[in-house]
Structure formats: C-alpha cells, structure tokens
Amino acid sequence: MKTSNKPSQNLIAWRFILVCVMLVSVFVALIARAAYLQVIEPDKARAENMKRTVRMEKLHVQRGMIFDRNGKELAVSVPVVSVYVDPLALDKALKSRVLRQARKNGEDHVALADNALLLAERKQQLFQEQARWRELSDVLQLPAEQVNKKLRGNAKRRFVYLKRQVTPAVAKYIKQMRLPGIHLLDESKRFYPSGEIAAHILGVTNIDGIGIEGIEKRFDKALTGTEGLRTIRKDAQGREVQVLSEEERVEPEDIHLSIDLRIQTIAYRALKSAVLTYQATSGSAIVVDVHTGEILAMVNSPSFNPNDMSNAAPYKRRNRAITDLFEPGSTLKPLAILAGLDHGVIESDDVINTFPGWMRLGGSLVKDTRNHGEMTLREILKVSSNMGVAKISQLLPKDYLVGVYQKVGFGEDTGTLMIGESSGLFYPNRRWSDFEIATLSYGYAVSVSTAQVARLYATLGAGGISRPLTILKQDAPQPGNRLFKEEDVKAVVSMMESIFEKGGTASSIKVDGYRAAGKTGTSKKAVAGGYGDEYVGYFAGVAPASDPRLAVVVMVNEPGNDVYYGGDTAGPVFAEIVSNALRMLNVAPDKERVAYLSESKNDA
C-alpha cells in the first residue's frame, strides 16, 4: 500500500510562505520607519544625532595685563581652580546607592523607590554616615554645616560653588577623592606683583574677574575681551571628526600706564615713612612729566594689598590724590604773582610794601606772622607772605583773577579719566568780596585735589603750557594750551628757588644734585562755622629749575604732633622723590650739593 506525503509538503509550503511574509513585513516596517524619520519627521532624527555627536567648546580668554611705561607687569591673571557641586547628580548617586543596598538586603527596592519620604530619609542617613563629606569640609577649610547646606540644600539645582580659587594642592586632593557630583572648574585670578605700592591706581577685580575699582574698572571692557565658541562633531571614541562652526574669540587688550614703577616705589616709600613719622591721618603724592602730562607716580598712604582684601577697609582703598579736597594754602601764591605779571599790574623786579604786616578788608583781617616791610616778589615767595600776594590781588580786576584760577583747571577734573576723580570746589561765577579775593591769592576760598595742584605745577614747569594729566602712556606729548607768557613763568619759577635759601620756608630741605623750584603750603582745615585745629601740609615744585622735567606735589593730612608745617612734613618727601626720580630718568644734575636736613624751622 502506497503512503501519500501531500500533507507534509503542504505544511512546508505554508511555513515557507509565513516566513517570507514575516521577513517582508519586517523589511517594510524598517523601510517605513526610515522613511518616516528621514522624510516625514527628519528634524527629530537630526536632533537626536546632534545630542550624541555634536559638542560646543568655549574658547576662553585670559584677562588682559596691565603694564607700567617700561613694560613691568602691574596686573596679571594666573590660573586657579574652583570647586562646585551638582546637587542633582549627588542626589541621584545617593538614591542609586540606597536602592542598591536595599536590593542587597532583600528589601523591596521598587516599593522603596516609590516611597518618597522613606527614600529621602535613607539618602540623608547615608550622606551623614559617609565620612568623606566631612573630609571635604576639612579640606576646603569651611564649616561642615555650610558645606552640607550647599550639597543637600536643594537637590534640583545643577550648579553651586563650594569654594572659589583654591590652591592646586587642594584641587588635586579633591580630584583624587572621586566624590559624586563634585567637580573642578578652571578659572583665573588677578595678581598684582607691586602689591600696595600701586593699589589705588590699579584697583581690583571681584571674584568673577570683573573690574570694580581703579584702572581695572575704567578699562574693564578692553581688558576682558570676548570668549570664542567652537561647534564640533565627535565619533563614538570621542575623537573630533568635523568642525561645524567657529566663532573667533576677541583677544583682550593690554593696558600700558604712564606710571614708572621705579618712581612709584620711591614715592610710596617716602610718603609712607612721612605719614608714620609725623603720625598723620593720610598723605598723597603725584609726580608728573611736565612735557607730556603723563603721571609717573600717584601714591597714597594708608594703602592696601589688592592680593589680600581681608584688611582692605574702605578708607584705605580711596584714591585720595584725586578724591580728597583741601584748601591748598600757600602753594597757590606763585599763581597770584603770575596773574599780576600776566595782567601787567606788576613787573618781576617790583617791590611790594607790606607794612605794617596786616590790613583790613571788609572788616576782616589779612596778616603775616610779622611785619616784613618792603619786599621783592622773590622775597614774598621766599618767606611766604600773605600780605604780599594779597596786595597784588587787590591790583587785579576780580573777574580776571578768578578767571586765572579757573583756566588753570580748578573746578574741573584733570583729565586722568580715573574713576572717582573730583572736580574740586570752586565757584567762579559768584560775587567775590575784596577779602575773599585776598584769601584766594594765598590758597583759601578754593578746595582742590592733589592732582589739580600737580596740574598747575606741571603748567609752570612747561613754561605756561597747560596739558590734561593722563594715566596712560603716550607715544607723543599731548596737545596743550598756552595760558601764560613763557618769560613770566620762567621768572616765577626762578623766584620759587628762593624758598630753599637761608631764611626761606624750605631752607632745611636740600635736593641732592639738582636745583629745585617749589613752594610750601600749610592750611588749616575747615570745620563747621570756621577753621579747626587740624592742618594740611603741602610741598609742590618743579625740577630741575634750570630746565624743568618733573612736577611733584606732596600732601600730608593732619600731622599728629607739633610739627605740621608743609616744609617740615612734606618737604623731605619732595626732596627724596625729586633727587631719585631724576636720576632714574637720567636727567643731568644742575648742581653738586648733597641733600641734608638742617635744624632750622619754618612757618609755612
């Protein structure tokens, strides 16, 4: 009997057809899915691809440097590391650890994951049991409560600084701890090699590198630059395979100041010594190149260390040379004589009769310390006679004399462009009495900064040409305006040499190797209702007198003992700055005498 295999063959054919249908269906589904992703909704596929392969990298820029006129670094940026936490990543790590322990102990970890209160309690318990978080607090030298609050205070946050600008050793140790959610961030920190010597000029940046005082603030935009951005594609091994786009970074500018760090250092040390010696409240000094208007030194005492702001009280951080205002006293007497010469009411060889040493103007008294009788203009400056310049002021039209004080820069800033500079207190358009005009001639009825006095003396040193002061290095002298005839200015500068002669208000001061022309000044400080018992000592001048190169002004505020005259407190600082600064600049000496201090005392 023959057996039929027809059912078996049918079964095989059916199976073959089923497999073919399934394969065709799979391929159709794949083709349909590919068509859907690439034709109907391609943006989503591109977005997913971008997430996995495209990276954006910032091209960081360091903050620009600040140099002195000779290329010495005054402010530089150094690399530092900051420590921050990703609280969300830390919370996820703690959750994973808790669930893993629960699974290991045979607990229902799924139910635990759904129980938010119990899970939070377990995470906090685990966090407190781990000693490495306490170790992190110790390494950062921060209270544990403060660190724990940042780590666990808000688990939804992604970025919280733990500590900024840690040392490389601390950063390396934290990296080796391998703490979840703890990361290191490369940053930069501002460093000032000159420390407190140039602190008031340079200012400081905040912890984010933004200028908040001084030159750092004034030129913050130029010093900062702009970060660049690169968009790249990477393969599965993390290798860069394509640069998709690139935004060029804008490099920051470097700032070159007019300051000469050598002269700045000399001036600061001399001023600081005087402030300490005479127990003064404060002091300022400025050195100006009379040919260019460049400020070669600007110092204040007390000062602060910009590299450590923990002891930088606000009163130490004020740039007193441009902000603090005082009546400059007798330092303005050369200007009154120059005004008389310029207007033609006196000649350089005239004699002024100051007998009997006092006079009344509008019911108020103008007087000298004693009756000097008849004096030449040179002698008036030599002994600093109030009567002498007051008599000259009464010969001049009021509007003219007030106008002279206005055009030399009183009542306006000096042009330094520095943050916080004061314009002073001078009101030329008000009604002036005869007595006020007299007091104006010897440095009262006007309040000015040390920088404004320096601009006046730079004008004298430049032969009557006034230039704005500048804190930036100049490639060529700034354009100036001629205010006075050169012969009149030279005559007054020659007269100013007399204060160093025997009987002069600065006879105890000798400038080593150079002839100097200067003027002392001692003014009482104004208080409510009049003048108090505190004094301000000034010494202003130019050198060498034969061909002036530098104008130097020194101010000592509120000397704390019986020595308070400008010739005694500020004079030695002037002599030290001038003699050393001129040598630094290779200016040939115009006399051969050694500086010394005599025992004589002066009253101006």
Side-chain angles (χ1 to χ4, degrees):
M1 181 176 176
K2 188 176 181 180
T3 304
S4 175
N5 59 358
K6 188 173 182 180
S8 176
Q9 292 175 349
N10 291 337
L11 180 61
I12 293 173
W14 180 82
R15 288 179 177 176
F16 178 75
I17 294 172
L18 179 61
V19 170
C20 290
V21 170
M22 291 179 63
L23 290 175
V24 169
S25 300
V26 169
F27 281 112
V28 169
L30 291 175
I31 293 172
R33 180 60 177 170
Y36 175 80
L37 292 176
Q38 296 187 32
V39 178
I40 300 176
E41 203 175 84
D43 293 338
K44 183 177 181 181
R46 292 195 189 100
E48 291 299 322
N49 178 62
M50 295 276 284
K51 289 181 182 179
R52 290 163 173 76
T53 63
V54 176
R55 298 291 181 266
M56 301 178 70
E57 296 180 347
K58 287 186 176 181
L59 304 176
H60 296 287
V61 293
Q62 290 276 31
R63 189 174 177 85
M65 299 176 67
I66 302 177
F67 299 94
D68 84 335
R69 64 183 305 104
N70 299 312
K72 294 288 186 180
E73 296 91 348
L74 298 178
V76 298
S77 293
V78 296
V80 292
V81 179
S82 291
V83 184
Y84 73 93
V85 60
D86 181 346
L88 179 60
L90 172 59
D91 187 72
K92 288 181 178 179
L94 291 173
K95 177 181 178 181
S96 177
R97 181 76 178 272
V98 167
L99 295 178
R100 190 164 58 251
Q101 287 182 348
R103 197 163 50 246
K104 185 177 180 181
N105 295 334
E107 298 181 52
D108 186 350
H109 64 278
V110 177
L112 178 59
D114 294 335
N115 191 334
L117 291 177
L118 181 59
L119 181 61
E121 181 181 340
R122 292 280 189 91
K123 288 189 291 185
Q124 186 62 25
Q125 181 180 357
L126 175 63
F127 175 80
Q128 293 174 346
E129 290 175 352
Q130 292 180 327
R132 55 182 178 168
W133 301 112
R134 293 191 295 274
E135 184 181 353
L136 177 64
S137 302
D138 295 338
V139 171
L140 295 176
Q141 297 182 346
L142 294 174
E145 297 80 8
Q146 179 180 339
V147 174
N148 293 344
K149 184 177 180 180
K150 292 182 177 181
L151 294 174
R152 302 287 296 145
N154 185 351
K156 295 182 179 180
R157 299 186 66 178
R158 299 306 308 265
F159 185 97
V160 178
Y161 275 118
L162 291 180
K163 190 170 184 179
R164 305 287 298 274
Q165 301 179 353
V166 301
T167 63
V170 170
K172 182 178 179 181
Y173 188 82
I174 292 175
K175 185 177 182 180
Q176 293 174 344
M177 292 176 71
R178 297 181 179 277
L179 298 172
I182 304 300
H183 304 283
L184 302 177
L185 181 65
D186 291 330
E187 294 184 322
S188 63
K189 178 182 180 181
R190 210 61 164 160
F191 177 69
Y192 304 92
S194 59
E196 63 184 26
I197 292 173
H200 294 102
I201 298 174
L202 301 175
V204 291
T205 60
N206 62 16
I207 199 166
D208 293 314
I210 300 172
I212 57 175
E213 290 181 14
I215 294 297
E216 293 280 22
K217 180 177 181 179
R218 177 65 182 82
F219 297 102
D220 182 65
K221 186 175 181 180
L223 287 166
T224 301
T226 305
E227 290 184 337
L229 187 65
R230 294 178 77 238
T231 304
I232 62 174
R233 190 182 301 279
K234 292 187 175 182
D235 62 12
Q237 284 74 40
R239 296 172 298 187
E240 181 180 320
V241 296
Q242 184 183 6
V243 177
L244 301 178
S245 66
E246 186 170 4
E247 297 178 15
E248 292 290 336
R249 58 186 176 189
V250 178
E251 294 294 341
E253 297 179 28
D254 293 331
I255 303 298
H256 294 263
L257 301 184
S258 61
I259 296 300
D260 188 319
L261 185 57
R262 302 169 301 172
I263 299 176
Q264 180 84 4
T265 302
I266 292 167
Y268 177 72
R269 290 175 178 171
L271 179 69
K272 183 178 181 180
S273 176
V275 169
L276 294 175
T277 299
Y278 298 106
Q279 301 175 21
T281 301
S282 61
S284 300
I286 293 184
V287 182
V288 178
D289 187 324
V290 302
H291 299 312
T292 64
E294 293 174 299
I295 298 174
L296 303 183
M298 177 187 289
V299 296
N300 299 278
S301 182
S303 186
F304 67 99
N305 183 1
N307 298 310
D308 181 9
M309 299 296 288
S310 60
N311 193 35
Y315 77 94
K316 293 182 178 181
R317 293 161 60 175
R318 191 165 72 247
N319 189 350
R320 299 172 184 271
I322 61 173
T323 61
D324 288 13
L325 304 177
F326 303 102
E327 291 174 303
S330 298
T331 56
L332 298 194
K333 288 176 180 175
L335 181 59
I337 292 178
L338 183 57
L341 294 173
D342 183 66
H343 197 263
V345 297
I346 56 174
E347 299 292 336
S348 58
D349 57 354
D350 279 358
V351 174
I352 304 297
N353 186 6
T354 65
F355 180 84
W358 60 271
M359 66 178 176
R360 289 195 177 275
L361 293 172
S364 299
L365 190 66
V366 176
K367 63 179 182 178
D368 282 336
T369 55
R370 65 182 181 88
N371 177 22
H372 293 288
E374 292 186 345
M375 289 188 292
T376 64
L377 302 183
R378 183 182 181 88
E379 289 172 332
I380 289 174
L381 291 181
K382 178 178 179 179
V383 301
S384 194
S385 169
N386 291 346
M387 278 290 293
V389 293
K391 286 273 185 117
I392 295 172
S393 71
Q394 300 306 300
L395 301 175
L396 292 165
K398 292 179 183 178
D399 291 343
Y400 171 78
L401 182 62
V402 172
V404 167
Y405 280 64
Q406 186 177 17
K407 73 180 183 180
V408 297
F410 298 154
E412 63 182 38
D413 61 56
T414 63
T416 64
L417 303 178
M418 295 190 67
I419 300 294
E421 181 173 2
S422 174
S423 298
L425 298 176
F426 182 57
Y427 306 102
N429 296 323
R430 68 182 180 88
R431 293 175 62 89
W432 292 81
S433 68
D434 290 340
F435 176 71
E436 288 172 332
I437 287 294
T439 59
L440 183 63
S441 69
Y442 51 83
Y444 287 86
V446 57
S447 293
V448 298
S449 66
T450 305
Q452 289 175 310
V453 179
R455 184 180 180 182
L456 166 62
Y457 275 77
T459 300
L460 298 179
I465 297 176
S466 176
R467 293 183 177 87
L469 302 186
T470 178
I471 200 68
L472 299 177
K473 184 179 179 181
Q474 303 296 307
D475 295 327
Q478 296 191 92
N481 298 317
R482 177 163 291 283
L483 303 183
F484 306 103
K485 294 187 288 291
E486 186 174 8
E487 57 269 25
D488 290 341
V489 175
K490 287 186 175 180
V492 172
V493 169
S494 178
M495 296 174 195
M496 290 162 57
E497 290 189 74
S498 64
I499 71 166
F500 297 100
E501 299 170 357
K502 184 177 181 180
T505 58
S507 59
S508 62
I509 306 300
K510 306 299 177 185
V511 179
D512 184 13
Y514 298 93
R515 290 165 49 198
K519 187 68 193 74
T520 59
T522 307
S523 63
K524 282 191 173 183
K525 296 190 69 173
V527 296
Y531 290 91
D533 298 326
E534 300 292 345
Y535 291 86
V536 179
Y538 273 100
F539 201 110
V542 297
S546 58
D547 183 16
R549 171 69 185 278
L550 300 179
V552 179
V553 178
V554 181
M555 183 277 294
V556 178
N557 179 33
E558 297 182 4
N561 50 37
D562 294 336
V563 179
Y564 56 83
Y565 292 118
D568 295 319
T569 57
V573 181
F574 174 89
E576 185 172 349
I577 293 174
V578 167
S579 59
N580 287 289
L582 289 175
R583 288 192 185 91
M584 292 287 184
L585 298 174
N586 294 320
V587 177
D590 55 356
K591 77 168 184 178
E592 292 296 335
R593 296 177 64 181
V594 179
Y596 67 91
L597 297 179
S598 72
E599 296 299 323
S600 62
K601 302 296 179 183
N602 301 287
D603 61 356

